Structures are given as structure tokens and as C-alpha cells.
Amino acid sequence: MPRGEVIVNSELCKECSLCVAACPHGVLGIGKAINSKGYHSVEAVAPEKCTGCTLCAVMCPDVVLTIKRRSPERK
Amino acid sequence: MQTVFQKPEALTDVAMHYCPGCTHGIIHRLVAEAIDSLGIREQAIGIASVGCSVFAYDYFNCDMQQAAHGRAPAVATGVKRVRPENIVFTYQGDGDLASIGMAEIVHAAARSENITVIFVNNAIYGMTSGQMAPTTLLGQKTATSPRGRTVEEMGYPIKMCELLATLEGPAYLSRVSTHDSRHVLQAGRAIKKAFEVQQQKKGFAMVEVLSTCSVNWGMTPVNALQWMEENMVPYYPLGVYRDVTAKEGN
């Protein structure tokens, strides 16, 4: 089970790829679906690698990403 | 699973109009996170400027007022003096603050008005499609300096933190960047500090945040961050230029 989870609000995404570049584990990629603004939204292409480090969300200019992490006591 | 990152309460649900990859969005979020973490959302009054960030009043979930071009520090002065119990901040770009608003920012700093200024420096006029700004780097190509900015024709870019640091008034002056996640987190701490300085009634606080304008620079958002790190950071050195709380050992 992955340590973290990225939840994408696809409607807000503008396909800038800053989160894709920021992720150290290659979790994120640009998807094929198009949102109502006409952008290909980012999606978790390798969700099993997510550690919940939040670096992608820190670099996202549009607050597209919500990050969840497994709490340490449950490890 | 616990939520470790989500939209701060001090941002509204309105989708921002900024171009893809514009670091304005990151800086908006940092300001909102600082407001949330200090619990001052109900007290905060933001002064929006003119430029790309003119619609900041739609995005911040606190009381907002729009000022004429460059006059945000003057409006903030009035608001803060009439309502000293509120936390007043301006959010200004380099065209607004360092060009038409130069007089207002210098005098607000000289008077040490107890306000917080968020100064976003992207070295270009973004809203009007990429003309040369006072902060445009030497050699940088813009719509009005198509062969690159030269000293002979256009003079030198203005370093606002260094300029204001010559005054006695400012209580906190800091320059931060948004070119990677580590620097974004540092920028967030500096912005929070600038609000704390106002809470402690120390006087004028300004954070200059280096920012990108990928569309008008003619780059992808990822390349723009790299260009900023390689070109802007060397000319606009990061760091704290004034911190009166450090002198007092707080």
C-alpha cells in the first residue's frame, strides 16, 4: 500500500507540468482527458510510488492537488 | 490516511485566471497559508494592485480593496491608520511597485508604516503582454527591448530590497524565490514572518518574491523556473536585508 495519495482536481489543472517536474518518484504525468478549459489534466500515472511528500502540491500554482499520507503510528 | 496538504481557507474556490505555470498562484497560496497559520483571516485586509494580480480580490478569502496603479502602499497606509487592529497587506507586481508606484513604496517604507508588502518581481510587464519593466535584466529581450536591455539606452534594473535597505524605516526586508520546492517553502516562511512583524507593530515589512512569466519570456513553465534560477537569482541575491526582530534577539 502506498504511503501517500494524490487527489487531483482536474478542472483546475492548466497542464503546466511543474508538479510532474517536482515529483522525485515519477508519480505524476499529463493525462489524455481534456478538462473544460481545454487542458490535459495531470493524473497519478504511478500512484503506488507516492510517499505523500507534498513537493508536487507545493509547486502547483493552482492548488489542483490535495495530498494524503498514511499516519506514522499506523505503519 | 490523513490530509497533509489542501487548499488554504484564505483562498476562495474561484479558479485563478493566471497563465499555466504562473508562480503568482504559488505566491497567492503562500500568502493564504501564512494568513491561515496566524489565524488572522477575519482581521486581514488585502490591497490589490494593478497588473496581472489585479484580480487578487477574487482569490483571497478576506476583505480586499483595489487600489489605483502603484498606490497600494498609500491605500494600505490609510486603512492601517484608521483600523490599526486589522492586519493590512498589499500584493503588488514589479510594474506596479517599482515603476509607477515607486514614490508610494519608498515613502511608506521611510515612514515605516506598519503594513506588509508582498512584492512579486518577474522582471517584465506581464499583463500588458511583455514590455520592459524597471526590473528587466540587462540583455533580457522584451516587447520593448527586442534586442535586449542595454545600459546605454535603458539603464540598470532596480533592486528594490537593496534600495529600501538604505532607509531607516523598514523593519523587515527579504528576497525569496519560487524556482523550486525548497525555495517556495522558504518564501512561505518569509511571508509569514512579514505578517508577524506587523502583528508585533515593528513597522514596514516587505518580501520580494522572484517570479516567472513563462508566456512573455517565451518559455515553458518548467524552463522558466530554470531561467529564473540561472539569471534572476544571481542579479537579485536572495536573503534578509533587514530584520529588526533579529537585532533584538527575539
Side-chain angles (χ1 to χ4, degrees), chain A residues 14 57-58 60-61 67 69 74, chain B residues 2 4-5 16 18 25 29:
Chain A
K14 296 174 186 162
V58 164
C60 174
I67 312 295
R69 192 190 296 154
R74 288 180 59 194
Chain B
Q2 63 187 58
V4 290
F5 189 101
M16 290 189 249
Y18 299 114
R29 194 192 70 235

Side-chain angles (χ1 to χ4, degrees), chain A residues 1-5 12 14-18 21 37 39 52 54-55 57-63 65-74, chain B residues 1-8 11 13-26 29 178-182 184-185 221-222 225:
Chain A
M1 185 183 170
R3 277 195 283 159
E5 182 187 358
L12 292 178
K14 296 174 186 162
E15 202 182 334
C16 73
S17 299
L18 294 190
K37 286 202 182 82
Y39 295 112
T54 74
L55 292 184
V58 164
M59 287 310 289
C60 174
D62 292 282
V63 210
L65 306 172
T66 301
I67 312 295
K68 288 188 171 181
R69 192 190 296 154
R70 244 192 307 166
S71 48
E73 59 273 13
R74 288 180 59 194
Chain B
M1 290 277 208
Q2 63 187 58
T3 303
V4 290
F5 189 101
Q6 61 186 342
K7 185 181 76 67
L11 280 185
D13 289 329
V14 177
M16 290 189 249
H17 74 289
Y18 299 114
C19 305
C22 176
T23 44
H24 259 309
I26 296 177
R29 194 192 70 235
T178 50
H179 64 262
D180 60 27
S181 47
R182 184 168 69 89
V184 169
L185 295 172
V222 173
L225 290 182

Side-chain angles (χ1 to χ4, degrees), chain B residues 11-77:
Chain B
L11 280 185
T12 63
D13 289 329
V14 177
M16 290 189 249
H17 74 289
Y18 299 114
C19 305
C22 176
T23 44
H24 259 309
I26 296 177
I27 301 162
H28 276 32
R29 194 192 70 235
L30 295 178
V31 172
E33 286 173 348
I35 289 172
D36 279 1
S37 72
L38 296 171
I40 54 172
R41 194 173 68 82
E42 295 292 332
Q43 282 170 274
I45 301 176
I47 314 294
S49 61
V50 171
C52 289
S53 57
V54 65
F55 296 125
Y57 50 74
D58 280 340
Y59 307 142
F60 287 114
N61 194 9
C62 62
D63 286 335
M64 294 293 291
Q65 172 62 46
Q66 167 65 38
H69 203 182
R71 275 59 180 171
V75 174
T77 297

Side-chain angles (χ1 to χ4, degrees), chain A residues 46-59:
Chain A
E48 70 285 356
K49 292 181 184 168
C50 182
T51 63
C53 72
T54 74
L55 292 184
C56 53
V58 164
M59 287 310 289

Side-chain angles (χ1 to χ4, degrees), chain B:
Chain B
M1 290 277 208
Q2 63 187 58
T3 303
V4 290
F5 189 101
Q6 61 186 342
K7 185 181 76 67
E9 202 186 351
L11 280 185
T12 63
D13 289 329
V14 177
M16 290 189 249
H17 74 289
Y18 299 114
C19 305
C22 176
T23 44
H24 259 309
I26 296 177
I27 301 162
H28 276 32
R29 194 192 70 235
L30 295 178
V31 172
E33 286 173 348
I35 289 172
D36 279 1
S37 72
L38 296 171
I40 54 172
R41 194 173 68 82
E42 295 292 332
Q43 282 170 274
I45 301 176
I47 314 294
S49 61
V50 171
C52 289
S53 57
V54 65
F55 296 125
Y57 50 74
D58 280 340
Y59 307 142
F60 287 114
N61 194 9
C62 62
D63 286 335
M64 294 293 291
Q65 172 62 46
Q66 167 65 38
H69 203 182
R71 275 59 180 171
V75 174
T77 297
V79 173
K80 184 68 182 181
R81 288 191 178 200
V82 173
R83 303 181 66 91
E85 71 282 6
N86 286 83
I87 299 294
V88 181
F89 69 97
T90 73
Y91 188 103
Q92 303 173 261
D94 51 321
D96 186 89
L97 183 141
S99 183
I100 192 167
M102 181 61 97
E104 279 73 15
I105 192 67
V106 169
H107 285 281
R111 296 192 306 267
S112 199
E113 294 294 341
N114 196 24
I115 58 172
T116 300
V117 175
I118 310 300
F119 168 40
V120 180
N121 178 1
N122 62 3
I124 206 162
Y125 280 91
M127 184 206 217
T128 49
S129 71
Q131 291 81 7
M132 191 185 74
T135 44
T136 295
L137 298 177
L138 292 177
Q140 186 181 343
K141 290 179 181 174
T142 69
T144 48
S145 58
R147 289 179 211 86
R149 179 175 186 158
T150 61
V151 173
E152 296 75 23
E153 270 188 282
M154 300 96 161
Y156 292 94
I158 298 174
K159 299 178 176 183
M160 283 308 302
C161 275
E162 288 87 335
L163 190 151
L164 295 180
T166 62
L167 301 169
E168 293 297 317
Y172 182 71
L173 295 170
S174 173
R175 186 183 285 123
V176 293
S177 177
T178 50
H179 64 262
D180 60 27
S181 47
R182 184 168 69 89
H183 286 86
V184 169
L185 295 172
Q186 276 177 5
R189 286 192 287 273
I191 289 170
K192 187 178 173 188
K193 172 88 180 175
F195 279 103
E196 288 170 340
V197 165
Q198 183 181 163
Q199 283 185 311
Q200 296 160 14
K201 300 185 170 59
K202 299 289 184 192
F204 182 87
M206 184 181 88
V207 180
E208 175 175 348
V209 190
L210 300 185
S211 174
T212 62
C213 185
S214 58
V215 169
N216 287 306
W217 291 359
M219 300 173 198
T220 65
V222 173
N223 289 348
L225 290 182
Q226 194 184 350
W227 189 90
M228 174 162 72
E229 181 183 6
E230 290 170 358
N231 297 279
M232 284 183 73
V233 175
Y235 188 81
Y236 295 112
L238 308 181
V240 178
Y241 288 81
R242 178 74 56 82
D243 186 357
V244 293
T245 61
K247 279 182 198 162
E248 293 160 6
N250 290 340

